[in-house]
Amino acid sequence: MTVKSNSSSGVVDTSSSPFAKLIALAFKEVHLKDGFWAAWRATTRREAIPYGQQKLIDSGAISNLEVAAGRRDGAFRNMRFADSDLYKWLEAASYELANSWDDELASRVTACVELAAEAQRSDGYLNTYYQLTNTQLANIEKRWTDLRHDHELYCAGHMFQAAVAHFRCTADTRFLDISKRFADHIDETFGPGKLESVPGHPEIEMALVELYRSTGEKRYLDLARFFIDYRGRGLIGGSPYHQDHCPVREAREMAGHAVRQLYLTSGMTDLYLETGESALLETLNRLWSDMTTEKMSITGGVGARHDRESFGESYELPNDRVYNETCAQIASVMWNWRMLLATGECRFADLMEWTLYNGVISGISLDGKSYFYPNPLVSRGTIERSGWFDCACCPPNVMRTLASLHNYFATKDANGLQIHLYDNCEIETSLPEGGEVRMVLETDYPWNPDVKLTVKAAAETGKKSEWTLSMRIPGWSSHPRIVVNGAEYSGELAPGSYAEIRRVWRTGDTVDLTFSMSPIFHEAHPYVEPARGCVALTRGPLVYCLEECDQESGGKVMDCGIDTDTPPQNQWREDQLGGVMTLDAKGFHESRENWQGKLYRRVEAGKAPSRTNVTLKAIPYYAWANRGKYPMSVWIPRA
Amino acid sequence: MTVKSNSSSGVVDTSSSPFAKLIALAFKEVHLKDGFWAAWRATTRREAIPYGQQKLIDSGAISNLEVAAGRRDGAFRNMRFADSDLYKWLEAASYELANSWDDELASRVTACVELAAEAQRSDGYLNTYYQLTNTQLANIEKRWTDLRHDHELYCAGHMFQAAVAHFRCTADTRFLDISKRFADHIDETFGPGKLESVPGHPEIEMALVELYRSTGEKRYLDLARFFIDYRGRGLIGGSPYHQDHCPVREAREMAGHAVRQLYLTSGMTDLYLETGESALLETLNRLWSDMTTEKMSITGGVGARHDRESFGESYELPNDRVYNETCAQIASVMWNWRMLLATGECRFADLMEWTLYNGVISGISLDGKSYFYPNPLVSRGTIERSGWFDCACCPPNVMRTLASLHNYFATKDANGLQIHLYDNCEIETSLPEGGEVRMVLETDYPWNPDVKLTVKAAAETGKKSEWTLSMRIPGWSSHPRIVVNGAEYSGELAPGSYAEIRRVWRTGDTVDLTFSMSPIFHEAHPYVEPARGCVALTRGPLVYCLEECDQESGGKVMDCGIDTDTPPQNQWREDQLGGVMTLDAKGFHESRENWQGKLYRRVEAGKAPSRTNVTLKAIPYYAWANRGKYPMSVWIPRA
């Protein structure tokens, strides 16, 4: 079999979306070269995806499908949404087939698709939990009867996303056909005047819009709109947990179950991209401001509460018990990517990048085989990643994100090309005004700020080939500088916006972008109580932390303080944690001897604890918990 | 009907407990007079108890018993442990009958007891959930089959506690007889070689010891020991939530569901009081140290996690999301009372008092009709007490605590009398060496520190009437002073211990106890992150807080800082919150204008926010949330 791919599509295909400001590039148009993200994708491919398949076999997700297909006997195993774990894995594997074809992986994927085809009922329905279970509450006759708690439409959404990815990456239509039959069945079942209800766990909304994009079937878009419009009418109980507490356009704040909320906002953004409904975009902007100014950890982590896996109140951002589910951070990336496509605004790319570097890859170990579900900002030495979870939503979600990550690097529009993320890569696409263009980015990002872009091929047809190259100047950066073909660029260069370089681009042209990547001490809004009097250290797009195993002479992380007047020094450590830039900061260890046996004491003047000056060693937050269970902290008290 | 009472018994009857250091006084031996606690008890009697009965009718707790008694048809309503809500209410009402007899209340209580008698099966079993439910999992044949999750033994324990209280307060044996029949049935069912398992929710352990004390039936004590000894063997799944994670004598820290943990330690202490097993006392002391030095809010609140209502890790003590279930604080009082009886050590009386004033009565509104389940240390203006709960454990637990509160005031032993709590009251008892004695305490406690004790009657038979009056010098106090009959007392006077005044006491003798009640600024261990850089204000046994409705010119509680160099001034406010001492502290409001739209920002030198000096008004923590939903905070940043 030869590889074919749908050349016009990426993860979110806005190539025909009338209200998209930016068009996502196709998978094949961005090629990662050796570098930070290529290493992560290689780990995903080499370790995580085979490991994940074995876990899906062990957990019963694949055997459920085999039983439903009539290939073997057995009972339903695992959580009722086990199908979705498999679909997310299939989505990840599909991306990897586009990244680099492999017959063995392809045959594994195909085997699953064939299983799904056999398991699908003649009416198009496919959900192994309802097909295999036969209790009073759950059996095939009871399908679609408990939309609040069950995950049939959620699993369907993950099927559609996987099928769309499979189609776009392989041009094979079999999985897409299965999805269309299921979507048709859902469309026959749900809608105004039919079954008027919505899923307790959003996901299908964005999936249906993508299915519409890949099939052209407008009914799927209408169905997505139906599921969005009918939410908040109390049809599934009215709780924030199930995202049913208010009509979506009236929402004033991010609330309830974080992944549900963010999958919903992602679906709403997909709907906006097709319909251009201003009320939707206004709501989305309002919710984004609420999230980013009151409900987000400095890592980009969202969904602060363990309790119901939900957003907390404004400024409710603990260090120890912050939930920050890996899936919520992934959902935030998905939403920010869609907002970026909808608006072209740099702030969405900024947060997408920040969340990828800090909130997403913290969820997976460096070896690709263990995972965090919550991502706390402090550890007292009791926390480690797990090999898998009973509720295994996060691991395959990380896999599909990393396998498709290059897709978020660049976009195009009528004026030219936009570069959002930086790493060693080659971008090759066709621009409306510029024709075929190919360029190479060379950088040591995220460790060093210099990015060199070289145009390798450009259609030089005079006026027509003048186009705009937009390069993102990260919001966290300072002192940006661009040199084009050796000459200082004199256009506007503001952190948090795109430098727009318009010219006739020729083969051999070069752009050198740089900016300051000096370590920065951040403070949190005073309402964030556990960060009061503390700073967090960042450098470039990376949040840093102190892990106890790195500290001098057994110094305890919880006894450290930091001197913010002395700039930390960065040092490349090739041998540590897969190669990381560490930061050495001036600080101290504070004695706790006066606290022996006390939890509270009266304040007494002149009782300053004794301090020992030390050099604090900070590592990127994403890399913690890879060497054992050590105390760790992101927020460090200031001297 | 005339009131009879078992004159030798209080809430915990250690009059015959061989390993009790102290003997609890009987109900009738302490009479509260007008004062702080008398007001709370009056509210309980006048408002909470009738209100509670109506809620028990509304919630189905009483009708469940009526259906089980065959008086009416109907299905089981409410939580599966609804019986226990009624039993706790009956316990509270029984105490109130001893406090002040009332025919109407007595007939309501008797009606419930008669209902229970009719509902009880011939074999002694009584649990309306299992008697009324008829599903595959729960029906009368399935009783005792799901000890991990069900609450049959928990409900039985609450029945026994209520029945013992009813017997001790009224001398009526009917409820006690019902309990004995049920306890006999449980004893026939459980034990080595019989059904070897333990309840998922401890409670019956202490109840069985009390039933033993009131009946003399040693089998009940043995059964309590069985339920304690067989815990931690994995018989009910092995989780900390169900207190099954380790054998009780091996426990190193307070863990799992807080109320379960504290009911268990209470039962263990009751067992120790009867058996004197040193391994139990060592464990209890170890656990008490763990709780008080690493896992307790400054209010005495315990059980920090919403998630599974459990103890958190060491120093995991958030302000906003701390759980501090009202029932857990009540359980802490129950445990500390038993530890005090077991050891006579002041630290247990200190914590009992502190928890009563701050952790328990914060759980009930001033009008007695609304309740907190969790008791947070900060509110962003979204929190208010509820009229009742689906899971209504807390309200009747508060009622039984307040109705029996005077019982914790004093104890006796071979040497004399010990006074633990201070309020206006009369104490009348018979001392081994001193014969009949009657004394009056007059004080304005907790608002002012002076306590005047006057001996109203003392048997004056020469040498034999020399006995020791022990008066608690609270651990939080300073500069204690005692004057006996106008002469300075020269014995040892140390905060956190008892002043032991031994003499021949005569009618008309007076003791004047005083100490400093100056406001104190407390700081928390630096590992308690949300309190870093903050202080909490206390005065006497009361923790204070800032509630936004009290602050000058609309100052926001979250924008306040406090000057710890200037002593706060106290001011009596007769008209506020039922009469409270407020504290005026020097402080400031800090401008947040530079934070507009920002959650994190880079630290920049010289960016001190502008401050406005103000007088901060603090009220006792227990009194907050009685005037509407206002922001509140216990921990205030220091200047």
Side-chain angles (χ1 to χ4, degrees):
Chain A
M1 186 174 170
T2 54
V3 188
K4 290 174 283 182
S5 68
N6 183 332
S7 66
S8 65
S9 304
V11 180
V12 171
D13 178 4
T14 54
S15 57
S16 301
S17 301
F19 298 93
K21 280 273 198 308
L22 306 178
I23 297 167
L25 297 193
F27 289 109
K28 70 171 184 64
E29 295 178 322
V30 181
H31 298 279
L32 282 187
K33 306 286 182 189
D34 276 357
F36 186 88
W37 287 120
W40 275 104
R41 232 185 47 196
T43 302
T44 305
R45 173 64 172 265
R46 193 181 62 245
E47 306 293 345
I49 286 182
Y51 177 81
Q53 194 190 29
Q54 189 55 50
K55 289 291 179 184
L56 291 167
I57 292 169
D58 298 344
S59 72
I62 289 176
S63 76
N64 288 339
L65 215 52
E66 291 171 342
V67 178
R71 296 227 194 138
R72 53 185 283 184
D73 292 329
F76 180 83
R77 287 168 57 199
N78 209 273
M79 311 294 272
R80 62 182 69 181
F81 42 85
D83 288 358
S84 67
D85 298 338
L86 175 60
Y87 294 141
K88 276 187 273 191
W89 181 89
L90 282 170
E91 186 179 340
S94 297
Y95 296 139
E96 278 303 328
L97 288 178
N99 294 338
S100 163
W101 186 262
D102 176 90
D103 283 337
E104 199 201 322
L105 182 60
S107 69
R108 288 186 196 176
V109 169
T110 302
C112 289
V113 171
E114 287 169 354
L115 261 184
E118 290 177 41
Q120 187 169 37
R121 287 167 55 93
S122 57
D123 62 4
Y125 185 86
L126 175 48
N127 182 284
T128 67
Y129 174 67
Y130 271 90
Q131 287 174 256
L132 303 192
T133 311
N134 194 8
T135 65
Q136 207 176 339
L137 289 173
N139 60 63
I140 193 63
E141 299 303 317
K142 289 282 182 184
R143 59 184 167 165
W144 310 132
T145 60
D146 188 8
L147 294 165
R148 189 195 312 185
H149 302 110
D150 275 332
H151 287 65
E152 292 159 284
L153 292 168
Y154 168 85
C155 289
H158 277 298
M159 177 205 279
F160 302 164
Q161 285 188 316
V164 164
H166 186 250
F167 167 67
R168 291 177 185 167
C169 293
T170 69
D172 184 332
T173 59
R174 283 177 289 178
F175 201 8
L176 196 68
D177 290 340
I178 295 168
S179 290
K180 284 159 65 180
R181 283 195 293 275
F182 195 7
D184 290 341
H185 169 75
I186 294 169
D187 183 49
E188 286 157 19
T189 306
F190 289 87
K194 292 182 276 187
L195 177 48
E196 294 186 348
S197 195
V198 298
H201 197 316
E203 154 67 31
I204 198 171
E205 301 80 2
M206 58 180 150
L208 281 167
V209 178
E210 281 278 84
L211 195 62
Y212 156 71
R213 290 171 183 146
S214 268
T215 63
E217 178 52 74
K218 196 172 163 297
R219 283 184 293 115
Y220 303 153
L221 179 64
D222 294 339
L223 188 55
R225 180 166 24 205
F226 164 77
F227 285 136
I228 288 169
D229 288 353
Y230 276 63
R231 195 168 281 284
R233 300 184 182 193
L235 295 169
I236 53 168
S239 78
Y241 182 78
H242 297 107
Q243 297 296 319
D244 193 36
H245 52 295
C246 69
V248 298
R249 293 164 186 82
E250 294 170 20
R252 288 283 169 280
E253 55 176 352
M254 299 295 273
H257 188 269
V259 176
R260 284 169 163 84
Q261 171 71 86
L262 286 156
Y263 281 4
L264 176 60
T265 52
S266 295
M268 288 161 64
T269 312
D270 269 323
L271 183 62
Y272 168 80
L273 283 162
E274 305 307 318
T275 66
E277 181 194 339
S278 60
L280 272 180
L281 190 60
E282 282 162 26
T283 300
L284 292 163
N285 274 314
R286 189 166 63 227
L287 293 178
W288 193 89
S289 292
D290 177 65
M291 180 174 90
T292 55
T293 63
E294 302 191 358
K295 292 170 184 160
M296 189 176 78
S297 289
I298 192 160
T299 54
V302 284
R305 281 191 190 172
H306 274 246
D307 195 27
R308 317 241 348 133
E309 305 185 318
S310 66
F311 280 96
E313 293 193 337
S314 298
Y315 308 106
E316 183 191 318
L317 296 164
N319 294 331
D320 48 10
R321 290 288 286 174
V322 75
Y323 199 61
N324 288 355
E325 182 184 339
T326 301
C327 280
Q329 275 81 263
I330 290 170
S332 175
V333 168
M334 292 165 74
W335 182 30
N336 277 287
W337 174 237
R338 284 159 176 78
M339 290 297 283
L340 175 62
L341 295 174
T343 66
E345 293 176 27
C346 188
R347 58 188 173 133
F348 302 114
D350 276 345
L351 183 55
M352 183 175 75
E353 177 192 61
W354 195 267
T355 306
L356 281 168
Y357 277 107
N358 302 296
V360 173
I361 54 173
S362 63
I364 180 171
S365 61
L366 295 174
D367 69 3
K369 293 181 178 178
S370 61
Y371 299 86
F372 273 139
Y373 203 115
N375 291 274
L377 301 190
V378 76
S379 164
R380 298 185 177 90
T382 59
I383 298 170
E384 61 186 341
R385 291 185 184 81
S386 302
W388 205 250
F389 307 100
D390 290 338
C391 172
C393 49
C394 299
N397 220 356
V398 173
M399 293 174 204
R400 68 173 181 157
T401 305
L402 291 178
S404 59
L405 188 123
H406 54 293
N407 198 235
Y408 302 131
F409 271 55
T411 55
K412 60 186 179 182
D413 66 3
N415 295 320
L417 186 82
Q418 302 81 37
I419 301 180
H420 308 291
L421 301 182
Y422 298 112
D423 204 339
N424 295 313
C425 66
E426 188 173 296
I427 300 170
E428 189 173 12
T429 189
S430 163
L431 299 175
E433 292 193 58
E436 296 297 323
V437 62
R438 184 161 64 84
M439 60 189 68
V440 165
L441 267 68
E442 293 164 289
T443 180
D444 193 25
Y445 207 86
W447 310 119
N448 289 303
D450 305 316
V451 178
K452 183 175 207 73
L453 182 149
T454 308
V455 178
K456 293 292 185 179
E460 290 169 39
T461 53
K463 176 73 186 79
K464 200 165 159 28
S465 68
E466 181 178 298
W467 53 272
T468 303
L469 174 69
S470 299
M471 296 184 81
R472 176 173 151 262
I473 315 295
W476 49 259
S477 71
S478 58
H479 309 97
R481 222 188 121 202
I482 284 180
V483 171
V484 181
N485 293 336
E488 195 82 23
Y489 172 72
S490 59
E492 201 176 348
L493 276 179
S497 72
Y498 290 83
E500 299 184 348
I501 314 168
R502 187 163 186 89
R503 54 178 283 142
V504 176
W505 293 95
R506 295 200 165 78
T507 302
D509 280 352
T510 60
V511 180
D512 288 282
L513 164 66
T514 191
F515 33 72
S516 167
M517 217 183 234
S518 302
I520 296 170
F521 292 110
H522 285 268
E523 58 186 343
H525 193 291
Y527 293 176
V528 183
E529 295 186 313
R532 280 193 293 216
C534 294
V535 294
L537 191 51
T538 67
R539 181 175 181 274
L542 295 171
V543 174
Y544 278 70
C545 68
L546 302 182
E547 195 171 17
E548 200 144 299
C549 52
D550 295 313
Q551 305 314 312
E552 287 177 4
S553 53
K556 291 186 174 176
V557 157
M558 291 301 289
D559 296 343
C560 290
I562 200 162
D563 172 3
T564 57
D565 293 331
T566 309
Q569 299 300 311
N570 50 293
Q571 192 164 358
W572 178 249
R573 309 267 183 173
E574 183 66 32
D575 56 332
Q576 283 184 23
L577 298 163
V580 286
M581 193 72 80
T582 61
L583 297 178
D584 288 354
K586 197 176 156 193
F588 55 85
H589 291 153
E590 209 168 70
S591 163
R592 304 296 183 217
E593 61 193 2
N594 292 332
W595 280 101
Q596 202 65 41
K598 295 195 198 83
L599 186 52
Y600 305 103
R601 67 179 186 194
R602 63 181 70 194
V603 172
E604 280 167 35
K607 266 233 175 180
S610 65
R611 291 178 172 180
T612 313
N613 290 332
V614 295
T615 300
L616 303 173
K617 309 268 183 188
I619 60 163
Y621 171 75
Y622 76 79
W624 86 280
N626 276 289
R627 295 169 293 184
K629 287 199 269 188
Y630 293 100
M632 178 279 298
S633 187
V634 168
W635 289 102
I636 314 295
R638 301 170 67 166
Chain B
M1 185 175 169
T2 55
V3 188
K4 291 174 285 181
S5 68
N6 183 332
S7 65
S8 67
S9 304
V11 179
V12 172
D13 179 5
T14 55
S15 56
S16 303
S17 300
F19 298 94
K21 280 274 199 308
L22 307 179
I23 297 168
L25 298 193
F27 288 111
K28 70 174 183 63
E29 294 179 323
V30 181
H31 298 277
L32 283 187
K33 307 284 182 188
D34 275 358
F36 186 87
W37 287 119
W40 275 106
R41 233 186 47 199
T43 302
T44 305
R45 173 65 170 263
R46 192 182 64 245
E47 305 293 345
I49 287 184
Y51 176 81
Q53 194 190 32
Q54 188 56 50
K55 289 292 177 183
L56 291 167
I57 292 169
D58 298 345
S59 72
I62 290 177
S63 76
N64 288 338
L65 215 52
E66 291 171 343
V67 177
R71 295 227 194 138
R72 55 184 284 183
D73 291 331
F76 181 84
R77 286 169 55 199
N78 208 272
M79 312 293 271
R80 59 182 70 181
F81 42 84
D83 289 356
S84 67
D85 298 338
L86 175 58
Y87 294 141
K88 276 187 274 190
W89 181 88
L90 280 171
E91 187 180 339
S94 298
Y95 296 140
E96 279 303 328
L97 289 179
N99 294 337
S100 162
W101 186 264
D102 176 271
D103 283 336
E104 198 200 323
L105 182 60
S107 70
R108 288 186 197 178
V109 169
T110 302
C112 289
V113 171
E114 287 169 352
L115 261 184
E118 289 177 42
Q120 187 169 35
R121 287 169 54 94
S122 57
D123 62 4
Y125 185 86
L126 175 48
N127 181 284
T128 66
Y129 174 67
Y130 270 91
Q131 288 173 254
L132 304 191
T133 312
N134 195 7
T135 65
Q136 207 177 337
L137 290 174
N139 59 64
I140 193 63
E141 299 303 319
K142 290 282 184 186
R143 58 184 168 165
W144 310 132
T145 60
D146 188 10
L147 292 167
R148 189 195 313 184
H149 301 110
D150 275 332
H151 287 65
E152 292 159 284
L153 291 169
Y154 168 85
C155 288
H158 277 299
M159 176 204 279
F160 303 164
Q161 286 187 318
V164 164
H166 186 249
F167 167 66
R168 290 177 185 167
C169 293
T170 67
D172 184 332
T173 60
R174 284 178 289 181
F175 201 8
L176 195 68
D177 291 339
I178 295 168
S179 289
K180 283 159 66 179
R181 282 196 293 276
F182 195 8
D184 290 341
H185 170 74
I186 295 169
D187 182 49
E188 285 156 20
T189 306
F190 289 87
K194 294 181 275 185
L195 177 47
E196 293 186 349
S197 194
V198 296
H201 197 315
E203 154 66 31
I204 197 170
E205 301 81 2
M206 58 180 151
L208 281 168
V209 178
E210 281 277 84
L211 195 60
Y212 156 71
R213 289 173 183 146
S214 271
T215 63
E217 178 51 75
K218 192 169 166 300
R219 283 185 293 114
Y220 303 153
L221 178 65
D222 294 339
L223 188 56
R225 179 164 29 202
F226 164 77
F227 284 136
I228 287 169
D229 288 354
Y230 276 63
R231 194 168 282 286
R233 300 184 182 192
L235 296 169
I236 51 167
S239 79
Y241 181 77
H242 298 106
Q243 297 296 318
D244 194 37
H245 52 294
C246 69
V248 297
R249 292 164 186 83
E250 293 169 21
R252 288 282 170 284
E253 56 175 353
M254 298 295 274
H257 188 270
V259 176
R260 283 169 163 85
Q261 170 72 85
L262 287 156
Y263 280 4
L264 176 59
T265 52
S266 296
M268 289 160 65
T269 312
D270 269 322
L271 184 62
Y272 168 79
L273 283 162
E274 305 307 318
T275 65
E277 183 193 338
S278 60
L280 272 179
L281 190 61
E282 280 162 26
T283 301
L284 291 163
N285 274 315
R286 189 167 64 228
L287 294 177
W288 193 89
S289 292
D290 177 65
M291 180 174 90
T292 55
T293 64
E294 301 190 0
K295 291 169 184 161
M296 187 177 79
S297 290
I298 192 160
T299 53
V302 284
R305 279 193 191 171
H306 275 247
D307 195 27
R308 322 264 307 150
E309 304 185 320
S310 67
F311 280 96
E313 292 192 339
S314 298
Y315 308 106
E316 182 192 318
L317 295 164
N319 294 332
D320 47 11
R321 289 289 286 175
V322 75
Y323 199 61
N324 288 355
E325 181 185 339
T326 301
C327 280
Q329 275 82 262
I330 290 170
S332 175
V333 168
M334 292 165 74
W335 182 30
N336 278 287
W337 174 235
R338 284 159 176 78
M339 290 297 282
L340 175 62
L341 295 175
T343 66
E345 292 176 27
C346 188
R347 57 189 174 131
F348 301 114
D350 277 346
L351 184 55
M352 182 175 76
E353 177 191 62
W354 194 267
T355 306
L356 281 168
Y357 277 107
N358 302 295
V360 173
I361 53 173
S362 64
I364 179 171
S365 60
L366 295 175
D367 69 3
K369 293 182 178 177
S370 61
Y371 299 86
F372 273 139
Y373 203 115
N375 290 274
L377 301 190
V378 75
S379 164
R380 298 185 178 90
T382 58
I383 299 172
E384 62 186 341
R385 291 186 184 80
S386 301
W388 204 250
F389 306 100
D390 290 338
C391 173
C393 51
C394 298
N397 221 354
V398 174
M399 292 174 204
R400 67 175 181 153
T401 305
L402 292 178
S404 59
L405 189 123
H406 54 294
N407 198 236
Y408 302 131
F409 272 55
T411 55
K412 60 186 179 181
D413 65 4
N415 295 320
L417 186 84
Q418 302 80 37
I419 300 180
H420 308 292
L421 301 182
Y422 298 112
D423 204 340
N424 296 314
C425 66
E426 188 173 293
I427 298 171
E428 189 173 13
T429 189
S430 163
L431 300 176
E433 291 191 58
E436 296 298 321
V437 62
R438 184 161 62 87
M439 61 189 67
V440 165
L441 268 69
E442 293 164 289
T443 180
D444 194 25
Y445 207 87
W447 310 120
N448 288 305
D450 305 316
V451 178
K452 184 178 206 70
L453 181 149
T454 307
V455 178
K456 292 293 185 181
E460 288 168 40
T461 54
K463 174 73 185 83
K464 202 168 158 23
S465 66
E466 182 178 301
W467 52 273
T468 304
L469 174 70
S470 299
M471 296 186 79
R472 178 173 149 261
I473 315 295
W476 49 258
S477 71
S478 58
H479 308 96
R481 221 188 123 201
I482 283 181
V483 171
V484 181
N485 292 335
E488 195 83 21
Y489 171 72
S490 59
E492 201 177 346
L493 277 180
S497 73
Y498 290 84
E500 300 184 349
I501 315 169
R502 187 164 185 88
R503 53 178 283 140
V504 176
W505 294 97
R506 295 197 165 80
T507 303
D509 281 352
T510 60
V511 180
D512 288 281
L513 164 67
T514 192
F515 33 73
S516 167
M517 219 182 231
S518 301
I520 297 170
F521 292 110
H522 285 267
E523 59 185 342
H525 193 291
Y527 293 178
V528 183
E529 296 185 314
R532 278 192 295 215
C534 293
V535 293
L537 191 51
T538 68
R539 181 174 180 275
L542 295 171
V543 174
Y544 277 71
C545 68
L546 302 181
E547 195 170 16
E548 199 144 300
C549 53
D550 294 312
Q551 307 314 313
E552 288 176 3
S553 53
K556 291 188 175 177
V557 158
M558 292 301 290
D559 296 344
C560 290
I562 200 162
D563 172 4
T564 57
D565 293 330
T566 307
Q569 299 299 310
N570 50 292
Q571 193 164 359
W572 177 251
R573 308 271 183 172
E574 183 67 33
D575 55 330
Q576 282 185 24
L577 298 163
V580 286
M581 192 72 78
T582 60
L583 296 178
D584 288 357
K586 197 175 156 192
F588 54 85
H589 291 152
E590 208 168 73
S591 163
R592 305 294 182 218
E593 64 193 0
N594 292 332
W595 279 102
Q596 203 65 41
K598 294 195 198 82
L599 185 52
Y600 306 103
R601 67 179 187 195
R602 62 180 73 194
V603 172
E604 279 167 35
K607 266 234 172 179
S610 65
R611 290 179 173 179
T612 313
N613 289 331
V614 294
T615 300
L616 303 172
K617 309 267 185 187
I619 60 163
Y621 172 74
Y622 77 78
W624 85 279
N626 275 288
R627 296 168 294 184
K629 288 198 269 189
Y630 293 100
M632 178 280 298
S633 187
V634 168
W635 290 102
I636 314 296
R638 300 170 69 166

